[in-house]
Amino acid sequence: MTIDYQTSNAEGPIDFINTYDLEEMAKEVIPKGGYGYISSGAGDIFTYRENEKAFEHQLIIPHVLKDVELPTTEVTFMDEKLRAPIIMAPIAAHGLANMQGEEATARGVANYGSIFSISSYASRTIEQIRQAAGPEACQWFQLYMSKDDGINIDILSQAKASGAKAIILTADATVGGNRETDKRNGFTFPLPMPIVQAYQSGVGQTMDAVYGSSKQKLSPKDVAFIAKNSSLPVFVKGIQSEEDVERALDAGANGIWVSNHGGRQLDGGPATFDSLQYVAKAVDKRVPIVFDSGVRRGQHVFKAIASGADLVAIGRPAIYGLALGGATGVQQVFEFFQRELEMVMQLAGTQTISDITQTKLRRNYYM
């Protein structure tokens, strides 16, 4: 089954001031159904909105006379040198935004110098994404588990063979959230999902149908299964509570990924930034923490790191950059975040990312 879906094949620099501009500009080039899928949240989009608003709950204190000049954002994470602690979150079907799909996104992230997370629901194969980024690029693989362990083992084998350095288990999407925008638009996936095509094609399916084809009953045993069959570090994505931290670590997780799926799953839940402080305290530096959802500014990156995150993952802004400028647009988005982060670091009196981790934010009592 094929569906006619026409989107941009843009490649080149974008003229924009901030990521909010990108969202408005991308709306003009991404078809309505695809844009709705990418940009929307669940239900009344309360949690989606709170993801951005929550960053206002904590304030960055300006510091002076700190002998700071030209702050550096470089970090080393799991033996990988990154230009900044900013990576690409796993997002399905990049082909909805640009005909070049994940190949262009991966190339842009690699050109910038960061980590690209491949989604199980990508619109390109693992091999195609690897070839586009180059053999030296650092890539992780995000797994939506199948109900068939044979398929899971095959997909994990493909990821490892392609050079993936870690596996991300998305644990907060065992069913689809209430995506009302998709329902209003009558959205079904117009593109195949070649990585998981052994158990679902993607083409013509709703999001509910896609999730219905995946494993819906996850347990700590699944973390051990992934570790055993990949021999790679496992990050559990979707953690927002202290109890789930302990459950994941007891199962053998090598990292915690704080996320609410960009407000696309449980509407009425907390903003990810509001959950981060609780999760970081529970983790207590035992394993690394990755954070995502609602990140639109360098200030947001700074606040997340100051609150306990080791890496900050961006999603929608990079996809909008992809729609408007292909690989170049993606790279520009990462450079935007880095520039804003450097500015904030200078004004906050922090020379290095390590200095940010020692920074105390001030509660905003006027919120």
Side-chain angles (χ1 to χ4, degrees):
M1 178 180 182
T2 59
I3 298 176
D4 184 33
Y5 183 83
Q6 299 295 324
T7 189
S8 80
N9 192 27
E11 179 60 58
I14 314 166
D15 183 14
F16 69 101
I17 301 297
N18 59 40
T19 63
Y20 303 104
D21 292 344
L22 287 177
E23 183 169 0
E24 290 303 311
M25 294 161 64
K27 189 174 184 179
E28 301 301 316
V29 300
I30 304 175
K32 182 179 179 180
Y35 180 81
Y37 170 76
I38 294 164
S39 64
S40 65
D44 297 321
I45 64 170
F46 167 82
T47 300
Y48 171 90
R49 293 194 304 265
E50 287 296 303
N51 276 340
E52 294 183 36
K53 289 172 58 179
F55 288 106
E56 300 175 8
H57 297 168
Q58 298 289 331
L59 306 176
I60 302 169
I61 305 170
H63 287 290
V64 301
L65 305 179
K66 292 290 294 287
D67 198 26
V68 170
E69 184 178 15
L70 300 176
T72 176
T73 61
E74 293 180 355
V75 295
T76 299
F77 186 87
M78 291 173 54
D79 298 326
E80 296 289 336
K81 292 184 178 180
L82 309 178
R83 280 181 59 184
I86 305 166
I87 68 172
M88 182 70 201
I91 293 182
H94 294 202
L96 293 173
N98 189 303
M99 290 173 60
Q100 302 173 67
E102 286 81 2
E103 292 174 83
T105 317
R107 191 163 60 251
V109 174
N111 289 344
Y112 170 75
S114 189
I115 298 169
F116 179 77
S117 303
I118 303 172
S119 171
S120 288
Y121 297 154
S123 50
R124 295 291 191 276
T125 66
I126 297 175
E127 183 179 3
Q128 287 172 323
I129 298 168
R130 162 55 64 194
Q131 289 179 349
E136 301 303 317
C138 183
Q139 296 184 340
W140 293 357
F141 181 76
Q142 175 261 351
L143 181 67
Y144 283 106
M145 294 192 75
S146 165
K147 298 172 182 177
D148 184 328
D149 280 344
I151 292 174
N152 291 325
I153 291 172
D154 178 63
I155 292 173
L156 288 170
S157 297
Q158 291 181 50
K160 186 173 182 180
S162 78
K165 299 296 180 65
I167 303 297
I168 308 158
L169 171 62
T170 290
D172 64 349
T174 51
V175 295
N178 182 22
R179 314 278 180 87
E180 293 185 354
T181 298
D182 290 347
K183 294 174 183 176
R184 294 184 191 282
N185 290 336
F187 177 75
T188 59
F189 279 94
L191 305 170
M193 297 176 174
I195 296 173
V196 295
Q197 62 186 2
Y199 65 100
Q200 58 190 32
S201 71
V203 177
Q205 290 186 308
T206 64
M207 194 71 245
D208 287 341
V210 170
Y211 280 130
S213 300
S214 301
K215 188 172 184 178
Q216 295 173 295
K217 186 178 179 181
L218 296 178
S219 76
K221 293 180 181 178
D222 293 304
V223 177
F225 174 90
I226 293 169
K228 177 183 177 182
N229 288 284
S230 70
S231 301
L232 292 171
V234 180
F235 284 73
V236 177
K237 182 175 182 288
I239 301 290
Q240 294 191 77
S241 72
E242 301 94 325
E243 308 96 286
D244 288 350
V245 167
E246 297 308 321
R247 191 175 296 111
L249 295 184
D250 288 347
N254 306 100
I256 297 295
W257 193 307
V258 186
S259 173
N260 61 23
H261 221 89
R264 296 161 68 79
Q265 286 299 99
L266 177 61
D267 194 35
T272 309
F273 183 65
D274 285 341
S275 297
L276 177 59
Q277 59 183 310
Y278 299 101
V279 172
K281 184 177 180 180
V283 171
D284 194 25
K285 302 185 185 301
R286 287 178 286 174
V287 297
I289 295 174
V290 182
F291 168 88
D292 76 28
S293 298
V295 180
R296 301 293 185 271
R297 288 283 192 185
Q299 294 94 311
H300 299 166
V301 177
F302 186 101
K303 290 180 180 182
I305 294 169
S307 300
D310 294 284
L311 295 178
V312 175
I314 60 174
R316 290 182 178 96
I319 298 299
Y320 298 143
L322 170 68
L324 296 161
T328 302
V330 172
Q331 183 175 346
Q332 279 186 272
V333 170
F334 275 81
E335 289 170 345
F336 162 84
F337 278 103
Q338 181 183 333
R339 285 194 306 271
E340 277 208 342
L341 178 58
E342 289 169 344
M343 177 190 66
V344 176
M345 290 172 68
Q346 177 79 44
L347 297 173
T350 50
Q351 186 71 52
T352 66
I353 298 299
S354 180
D355 292 338
I356 300 177
T357 67
Q358 305 303 312
T359 297
K360 300 295 183 183
L361 301 178
R362 180 181 294 170
R363 180 180 172 185
N364 185 355
Y365 289 97
Y366 295 97
M367 287 297 295

